Amino acid sequence: MTLIVHHSPVEGSNDADEHYVNLLTAMHQIPKRIVLLIVGGFNAHLVAPYSYHQRTNKNGKIVSDLVSEAGLVVTNTHFQNKSGKLCTFISDMCGTKKTS
């Protein structure tokens, strides 16, 4: 088993694309027979059956493409939480809810 602990650049960062290219390169170095887990903060909004977000942001689009290309699954979008547990952070800058 290989575990990659990952923390993405914030939404709107100029180096996000390069960052994900580097992650994909690292992923391709793992043999297919090895179980791969990638955990961490992706700073991504994904639209899924059990997600809070109504639209996907730029990081979410990059993550979605990466997951599709690599044949991975975003597991936290497969579990239903109570509506009060979908948001874990409220931004000080604009008062909008964010997930951790």
Side-chain angles (χ1 to χ4, degrees):
M1 178 187 307
T2 298
L3 175 68
I4 297 176
V5 179
H6 172 79
H7 294 280
S8 297
V10 296
E11 176 72 11
S13 173
N14 292 332
D15 49 328
D17 290 331
E18 179 183 355
H19 181 82
Y20 281 104
V21 168
N22 292 337
L23 176 60
L24 188 59
T25 300
M27 290 167 52
H28 284 307
Q29 293 175 1
I30 309 300
K32 295 283 185 194
R33 68 183 187 282
I34 303 294
V35 173
L36 175 62
L37 298 175
I38 303 173
V39 300
F42 287 87
N43 294 308
H45 296 183
L46 297 171
V47 176
Y50 299 120
S51 68
Y52 171 77
H53 304 288
Q54 302 301 314
R55 63 181 178 80
T56 300
N57 64 2
K58 182 179 176 186
N59 279 358
K61 173 72 170 113
I62 295 170
V63 168
S64 181
D65 292 345
L66 182 97
V67 165
S68 293
E69 181 176 335
L72 299 174
V73 176
V74 180
T75 57
N76 68 337
T77 62
H78 290 270
F79 301 98
Q80 188 171 8
N81 288 314
K82 294 179 182 178
S83 60
K85 300 291 185 182
L86 292 175
C87 294
T88 56
F89 176 73
I90 298 178
S91 172
D92 291 336
M93 294 180 68
C94 58
T96 59
K97 292 183 177 182
K98 304 283 184 184
T99 58
S100 60

